[in-house]
Amino acid sequence: MPALQLTGLEGGTISSQDWLKGRPAVVNLWATWCAPCRTEMPSLQRLEALLAPDGIRVLALSVDSDHNLVREFILKYGITLPVSIANSPSQAMAAVGAVALPQTLYVGADGRILGSHLGQRDWADPMTVRDVRSRFAVKTPTKP
């Protein structure tokens, strides 16, 4: 994951490496003006709960220029995912090779981008959850 300067929802600057916390993560690049991004946000929220036992975080990286719009969106829809805002949206998108939104990155614990998905997806769909786990070589839990 490239070194990016981000702003937290409460303000304050953080680096992308500090935000990742050395753990594997699904990082979704999104914006409040992107209809598919808004549509898939609830399923990303559910994905976070499904991947938590595997130690995989789900993070939302906004490329909005208006930080207040991001805060309002998060509050209005009750999003509890860790959300940060790119200080330079165009730089952030270029750094990760994103050409459209939503763009979702699979980032290993070492900070390396393992792959990506372009476009809207139902992230809570069981097949999608299996696909995401496979990106991180996590076995699907088996029932006793």
Side-chain angles (χ1 to χ4, degrees):
M1 180 79 176
L4 301 170
Q5 290 300 308
L6 313 173
T7 298
L9 284 180
E10 291 79 36
T13 302
I14 186 170
S15 73
S16 53
Q17 286 76 18
D18 289 340
W19 192 47
L20 290 169
K21 297 183 180 179
R23 291 176 48 200
V26 174
V27 179
N28 180 263
L29 277 77
W30 69 287
T32 57
W33 46 262
C34 165
C37 300
R38 291 191 312 270
T39 300
E40 76 175 356
M41 193 60 72
S43 72
L44 282 163
Q45 184 81 44
R46 288 191 298 280
L47 180 66
E48 179 189 40
L50 294 168
L51 295 181
D54 303 316
I56 301 169
R57 300 176 75 211
V58 177
L59 308 170
L61 176 56
S62 171
V63 293
D64 280 277
S65 344
D66 186 335
H67 295 195
N68 287 328
L69 284 177
V70 176
R71 290 181 191 100
E72 288 171 11
F73 178 89
I74 296 303
L75 288 172
K76 180 177 180 180
Y77 294 100
I79 303 300
T80 59
L81 293 171
V83 176
S84 284
I85 306 163
N87 288 356
S88 172
S90 59
Q91 178 189 21
M93 287 189 65
V96 299
V99 294
L101 295 175
Q103 176 86 34
T104 305
L105 309 173
Y106 308 109
V107 183
D110 61 359
R112 217 170 27 99
I113 296 175
L114 306 172
S116 67
H117 178 82
L118 177 62
Q120 180 181 338
R121 195 172 193 184
D122 178 359
W123 292 100
D125 175 78
M127 287 181 59
T128 301
V129 174
R130 276 193 299 277
D131 176 55
V132 171
R133 282 190 174 115
S134 75
R135 305 287 180 148
F136 299 99
V138 173
K139 302 259 190 255
T140 303
T142 56
K143 295 180 182 175

